Amino acid sequence: MGYHMSLSIRLTINGLKREIALDDPRVTLLDLLRERLHLTGTKKGCDRGQCGACTVLVDGRRINSCLSLAASLDGAEITTIEGLADGEDLHPVQAAFIAHDGFQCGYCTPGQIMSAVGLISEGNAGDDPERIRELMSGNICRCGAYQGITEAVLEAQKDLAERNRRDAA
Amino acid sequence: MPLETTSPLPQHRRHGSSAGQPLTRRDGVLKVTGRATYAADNHPDGMLYAVTAVSSIARGRVTALDVEAAKAHPGVVEVLTPANRPPLAHDPDEKMPPFGFRVEVLQDDTVRYVNQPIAIVIAETPEAATEGAALLNPQYEVEPARTGRESGERFDPEVIGIGAPARTAHGDIEAGFAAAVRVTEADYVTPPQYHNAMEPHAVVAQWDGDRVTLDMPNQALALSCASHAAYFGIPAENVLIRSPFLGGGFGSKAILNGPQILAILAARMLDRPVKLALTRAQMYGPVGHRGRTWQKLRLGMDEEGRLTALHHQALCTTSSFDEFLEPAANASLPLYASPAILAEHEGLRLDVGTPGPMRAPGLASGSAALEVAMDEAAEACGMDPLDFRLANYAETEPTTGKPFSSKALRECYAEGAKRFGWSGRPHEPRTMRDESGFLVGWGMGTAVFHCPHFPAEARATLRADGTALVETAGADMGQGAWTALAQIAAEALGLDPDQVELNSGISSLPDGGIAGGSGHTASAGLALHNAGEDAIARLAELATTDPASPLFGAGNIGVVARAGRLHRRDDENRSESYAEILARAGRSDVVGTAKAARDPAVASAHAMYSHGAVFAEVKVDPDLGQIRVARLVGAFAAGRVINPRLVRSQYFGGMIWGASFALHEEAIADRRTGRIMNADLAEYHVPVNADVPSLDAILIPEDDPYVNPIGVKGVGEIGITGTVGAIANAVWHATGVRVRRFPVRVEDLIISREFA
Ligand code: FES
Ligand code: FES
């Protein structure tokens, strides 16, 4: 296969350092995760940066992994939905999505949750639902679970702020 | 907007039953951790990737494909075109009963719509397959695209929707108009819409001799096995479909489509597993859509504002080669009393992919037009829109006179109006403003959806440890089936839902019927309920015939199953646990089975519908014409509620689809080429979080002794109906501009004289 220059990159994925031989320079981060590493929790809804289903954290920032070439990420630290829970202990955002029925089919959910995690950790969420609706609008949910999503993000942000205060004290 | 306006979850707790409780989803943890596996998440060893090349013209012929170039690309394994496509056992130009559509599977070089598959490339990687498909560089002989009312071919359909008559008449329509003191008449247009489930259609196909395993999102497992088997010339039992999770369906995953068949065919030809996932753009063609409609409504009213005639005509689009006509005019059949009702449909063939059922087929488009027409008629009569609807309340099904199996619509109107504050609505339009100067308007619409029931089967196994396994091949596309079905089974088994394991989503289980028509919980649920009762009856038989059991001899008196124990009906203190009964009988389990269907006698004696009322507040920028939905309140009566948390989410989803229909969604075709100019999620607008206002769904209690023995109606689709009209009517009330074309757009307002 002629395009097969062997290109090797290093990534830390969900805390695990990996040396990855890329078989093709065209591979996006999304297709690397899903089709090569079989981390299929991250979803493909459009492959065009229009739906947010593929959202992951790269060096703590939210990105659409379908728009990012894997080859350009050498050295990056990546968190996917699989890396969020601590063993069987769900991340507060995950737990809040269940409690508030923030999903139906679940296909947009990994992306919604990663966006919410990014939003909260950037200190952007706040406690105004209008603001959360606006900032979560890069993630489409065709099932229309938006009310639950907004409630879940509000609660998780409150919960995490509480924890931070306790940790600081 | 405060979130606190949502109503608290009601508790319809039955004594000792988990049904009625707002349990969270059983699959919640899997879905929030990324461990729920959708079709395209599968990677069997040796798997290849398939990508279809699709037509960029709407009508004509493919004259050349550069197969050499595609094959020469590194990683490409095979290219299928009409020249080398292996045979299929079913003619794809023939419809397959009961409601299979004609499909495009490279049977010839004709192109019938944009995005039709014209070749399929199979490669070692997704990148190579994609590039190979791009290298095919198709050449065409192009014929003019028929894209609109002027260029399409009109015809009189034999049937509409799925087997419904194209014309339904009740009473003498002309006599009805002759008796009217007032007549209103208007034309309405609804656009083509695409399901756009977040999960693109996908399949992973693996053959083993003449058996095939398909990982594929699927709303109708048993039916799909039979249809795929017919295409591949193998017995239905040789097809195994695994569909544990669907990333949304909305009707588009109930029907066969060409790309999936081609991928399965490629897997057989190459004797390796093959994965295909459509791109978003490729979903605008071969996997169905909601066809465009042009509707005319004519209403006659007497002095008191009562309908004397209701005439609903719909011109509905379909493809050039198959028929699915949105049964839009039938929206006027179930709702309002009138001595004369006429619903008529005409067909229009365009060069588009064949439409199909999309969430609330017919009723979504038809109710959009009807509810605006009702608003206009109320206005003509000088009546409040709600009073006008109450004046035309149907006590029996309007066209048949049959009693409703249940109908708590009055309560929906009353509760919804109260929660919304409808009584404070000024009659005149354009009289309300908010503190920022935005025009504010209030509108309402009635919601309705039928209650189909599909035959289904189930099995319930009580196990030695006192827990149960229940099984039926159902589908959970987000409605929460896994949770609600387990609750129904647990109730029949006298167990806690935690003690009931549910197996579903795979075709080797007893046929769970179709997840469509809002009938899945009722259909699969009744089968599970009956299987559970059968298992309990068998267990009771063991106990009551065993002299060592405290229940010995209670056979005629009967037993009650509760909390994992059987109790004597006449003496609840005498009881025994399931585990004890099984242990003493030396049994590892007892198995109950059931087939369930609707009783035809009950069905023919009753009209069965879910009902609701939706109230909308919109705000319109007086200068820019920008429209925002500020509030939606829906009150729905749909029989017994198994899980209010999930039901509320279904109503919310439906209402958001209604808002989308009213203000956002429309596929726009280029008139010259027939290409869809917005075949993506950026330009084809579906609501995002910021578009969704504060939602409130009120669950109106309703006991229905006839609809089925578990009293469950459907909730998945009704939320769209009513909502579309409510929003459009609110826009009129805010602005004084009546828009009769969906979606309602800024430009519809600002070009209007009334708006200025
Ligand atoms: S798949 Fe990346 S944004 Fe849609
Ligand atoms: S839960 Fe189905 S798309 Fe969001």
Side-chain angles (χ1 to χ4, degrees), chain A residues 1-3 23-24 26-27 31 34-36 38 40-41 43-46 50-51 53 81-82 88 90 94 97-99 101 103-110 113 129-130 133-134 136-137 140 142-144 146-147 149-151 154, chain B residues 1 3 6 24-25 28-29 31-34 38 40-41 43 49 73-75 125 127 131 194-196 198-200 246-248 250 275 280 477-478 645-646 649-650 653 656-657 665 680-682 686-690 692-693 695:
Chain A
M1 294 189 250
Y3 275 35
D23 58 313
D24 191 319
R26 296 168 296 191
V27 177
D31 286 333
R34 289 185 51 79
E35 307 299 341
R36 272 78 178 177
H38 298 181
T40 52
K43 299 301 181 211
K44 184 184 283 190
C46 70
Q50 298 169 341
C51 76
I81 190 75
E82 289 94 343
E88 289 305 300
L90 296 179
Q94 292 173 311
F97 265 68
I98 295 178
D101 215 32
F103 53 91
Q104 294 182 20
C105 78
Y107 197 81
C108 73
T109 312
I113 290 176
E130 200 58 35
R133 287 186 184 121
E134 195 66 42
M136 287 297 290
S137 282
I140 294 176
R142 182 55 156 167
C143 295
Y146 293 126
Q147 185 121 333
I149 292 169
T150 307
E151 290 170 11
L154 274 172
Chain B
M1 283 143 255
L3 284 168
T6 56
T24 56
R25 289 170 196 264
V29 171
K31 283 179 174 171
V32 301
T33 54
Y38 300 79
D41 298 343
H43 294 92
Y49 293 85
H73 186 72
T125 66
E127 293 77 19
E131 186 73 24
Y194 285 78
H195 305 74
N196 273 306
M198 284 310 293
E199 175 201 29
L246 292 89
F250 313 118
K275 180 197 291 195
R280 181 58 54 183
M477 47 195 171
R645 180 192 306 269
L646 304 180
S649 287
Q650 286 298 292
I656 291 171
W657 273 57
E665 280 187 58
D680 61 63
L681 287 175
V686 300
V688 296
N689 203 325
V692 172
L695 299 172

Side-chain angles (χ1 to χ4, degrees), chain B residues 536-707:
Chain B
I536 290 296
R538 287 165 195 273
L539 186 72
E541 172 79 16
L542 289 181
T544 56
T545 55
D546 179 352
S549 168
L551 300 170
F552 178 64
N556 292 332
I557 298 155
V559 296
V560 177
R562 196 169 59 236
R565 300 181 75 83
L566 294 184
H567 301 256
R568 255 182 91 108
R569 195 179 292 278
D570 62 346
D571 179 3
E572 298 253 337
N573 290 326
R574 287 160 75 181
S575 72
E576 195 172 27
S577 77
Y578 302 171
E580 284 165 336
I581 298 167
L582 287 169
R584 214 183 29 254
R587 297 278 294 264
S588 62
D589 58 36
V590 54
V591 181
T593 58
K595 291 187 183 206
R598 177 170 277 156
D599 178 344
V602 177
S604 66
H606 296 89
M608 299 174 179
Y609 299 94
S610 299
H611 292 93
V614 182
F615 298 83
E617 174 178 303
V618 303
K619 295 190 175 184
V620 180
D621 186 310
D623 302 313
L624 304 174
Q626 197 187 32
I627 308 160
R628 302 266 302 178
V629 180
R631 264 185 326 132
L632 284 176
V633 174
F636 301 95
R640 184 171 166 226
V641 169
I642 298 299
N643 184 321
R645 180 192 306 269
L646 304 180
V647 165
R648 200 172 66 144
S649 287
Q650 286 298 292
Y651 290 148
F652 284 167
M655 288 158 78
I656 291 171
W657 273 57
S660 190
F661 194 126
L663 300 178
H664 302 283
E665 280 187 58
E666 173 174 24
I668 303 166
D670 181 331
R671 285 210 216 171
R672 294 158 308 168
T673 63
R675 288 176 71 157
I676 297 167
M677 298 190 288
N678 58 346
D680 61 63
L681 287 175
E683 300 292 324
Y684 182 98
H685 290 172
V686 300
V688 296
N689 203 325
D691 292 318
V692 172
S694 125
L695 299 172
D696 195 355
I698 305 166
L699 281 56
I700 301 292
E702 190 178 66
D703 257 331
D704 193 319
Y706 304 109
V707 67

Side-chain angles (χ1 to χ4, degrees), chain A residues 30 43-54 64-67:
Chain A
L30 177 59
K43 299 301 181 211
K44 184 184 283 190
C46 70
D47 217 16
R48 291 287 182 277
Q50 298 169 341
C51 76
C54 63
N64 290 330
S65 62
C66 69
L67 289 187

Side-chain angles (χ1 to χ4, degrees), chain B residues 458-459 470-472 485 488-489 492 502 524-533:
Chain B
R459 185 162 55 225
V470 299
E471 300 169 293
T472 188
L485 293 178
I488 292 172
L502 173 81
L526 181 61
L528 285 164
H529 169 87
N530 291 356
E533 291 205 325

